[in-house]
Amino acid sequence: MTMTTPAGTTAARPTERKHTPAPPARRRNRPRRSTPLTIAMLAALAYFLLPLLWLLVASTKNTQDLFDSFGLWFSHAPQLLTNIRATFAQDGGVFAHWLLNTVVYAGVSAAGAALLAAAAGYGFAKFRFRGDRLAFNLVLGAIMVPATALAIPTYLLFAGVGLVNTPWAVILPSLVNPFGLYLMRVYAADAVPDSLLEAARIDGAGEARIFFGIALRLLAPGLVTVLLFTLVATWNNYFLPLIMLNDPDLYPITVGLSSWAEQAQNGGAGASSDMLPLVVTGSLISIVPLVAAFLLLQRYWQSGLAAGSVKQ
């Protein structure tokens, strides 16, 4: 269609377009609410937090309040600081010595186990050698063996070489972590690119330098995961130090607090009616370093949770 302009020329009339309404905006995906799932999560939360709440509340009570007052609420006269001072002063300050022993046992064991697991897992993931599958299957089978089944053979072995009643009797068995090796093998397969290793070899780097300078940095999140698992396992280990150690000065916190609890129940030498609050307060103090370790290392742990989930 044409139209005449004032100058007498003709011009094409613009074609009229129908107005199309804009598509409705998409509704934001709102999280679905499930009442049964919410109840289940609250039950799980209560299952994990109620023991900690009881421990915190019980640490503020004396012996009479432990039995007379409600377990999940404070007494009329909380005495947490008094119980903490009494715990560190009991038996000449032996609790601080037990705490130091536990820090040494757990710290050395966790660092050594994490480093050994990282080296072995990296080797299984990036190298091929005769019998590698058989060796890795043996590692998987070792995961299924309970630690208590190996306690007596380990004791006999250490007794034969004269390491019983020494710190090495607790540290050396804790360095072996089959689950940590398996975890590091799976993590190293995705976290360490083969092209990066080949480039380092072309540049003339040796295998030791590649592992400590390149691979170990890429394995940091998995390394921290194994370190935390081993730290918690060694810190809470009770049976192995119980059968390996006879000297109270070498006890970790678990065995030391157990000896206090036994004295409080059986009325042994040096026992008193006030020892039960000391056992509870000592248990509260013993979990503080573990909580601090998780808070300090969680950023390294969380940074590797999604590693390998996105293909690049």
Side-chain angles (χ1 to χ4, degrees):
M1 179 180 297
T2 60
M3 63 180 180
T4 304
T5 63
T9 59
T10 60
R13 180 179 296 178
T15 306
E16 296 181 358
R17 295 182 181 179
K18 296 182 178 180
H19 176 72
T20 56
R26 294 182 179 179
R27 297 180 179 178
R28 296 181 180 179
N29 294 330
R30 296 180 179 178
R32 297 180 179 179
R33 297 180 179 179
S34 174
T35 301
L37 183 59
T38 302
I39 295 175
M41 293 301 296
L42 291 177
L45 184 65
Y47 176 80
F48 287 109
L49 293 184
L50 282 180
L52 296 178
L53 177 61
W54 180 90
L55 186 62
L56 176 61
V57 172
S59 300
T60 64
K61 302 179 180 181
N62 55 29
T63 304
Q64 183 177 359
D65 291 336
L66 282 175
F67 295 98
D68 295 342
S69 61
F70 180 60
L72 295 178
W73 195 245
F74 300 92
S75 62
H76 297 288
Q79 52 178 24
L80 177 61
L81 296 180
T82 302
N83 289 342
I84 292 177
R85 286 193 294 265
T87 300
F88 281 98
Q90 182 69 22
D91 294 339
V94 70
F95 180 81
H97 196 68
W98 292 341
L99 183 61
L100 179 61
N101 291 341
T102 307
V103 170
V104 173
Y105 298 157
V108 175
S109 300
L115 184 60
L116 291 177
Y122 169 79
F124 277 115
K126 298 302 177 181
F127 294 94
R128 294 295 175 263
F129 52 90
R130 183 176 298 179
D132 57 345
R133 292 186 179 180
L134 177 61
F136 189 69
N137 289 333
L138 291 177
V139 172
L140 295 180
I143 297 177
M144 307 303 296
V145 179
T148 53
L150 301 176
I152 301 302
T154 304
Y155 174 80
L156 296 177
L157 179 63
F158 278 65
V161 296
L163 292 179
V164 174
N165 202 31
T166 64
W168 295 110
V170 180
I171 294 175
L172 291 180
S174 303
L175 296 178
V176 181
N177 190 345
F179 176 74
L181 193 155
Y182 167 75
L183 183 66
M184 292 304 301
R185 191 266 182 191
V186 175
Y187 188 81
D190 293 331
V192 183
D194 294 334
S195 59
L196 183 62
L197 301 181
E198 291 297 331
R201 295 188 182 105
I202 293 175
D203 290 340
E207 296 298 335
R209 183 178 179 183
I210 293 175
F211 173 72
F212 288 102
I214 299 176
L216 201 60
R217 297 182 180 181
L218 298 175
L219 296 175
L223 193 72
V224 171
T225 301
V226 178
L227 188 145
L228 286 175
F229 284 164
T230 309
L231 181 69
V232 174
T234 308
W235 191 282
N236 295 328
N237 197 354
Y238 171 75
F239 189 61
L240 181 65
L242 179 65
I243 66 174
M244 289 291 186
L245 304 176
N246 299 322
D247 188 359
D249 291 335
L250 296 176
Y251 283 172
I253 286 181
T254 52
V255 181
L257 291 179
S258 177
S259 65
W260 277 4
E262 185 177 357
Q263 292 179 16
Q265 292 177 359
N266 301 332
S272 65
S273 60
D274 295 332
M275 288 195 66
L276 189 57
L278 304 186
V279 175
V280 177
T281 306
S283 301
L284 177 66
I285 298 172
S286 67
I287 68 174
V288 173
L290 292 181
V291 175
F294 269 90
L295 294 178
L296 292 175
L297 299 176
Q298 66 175 347
R299 64 188 184 96
Y300 299 100
W301 191 14
Q302 294 176 354
S303 63
L305 292 179
S309 61
V310 180
K311 184 178 180 180
Q312 298 180 355

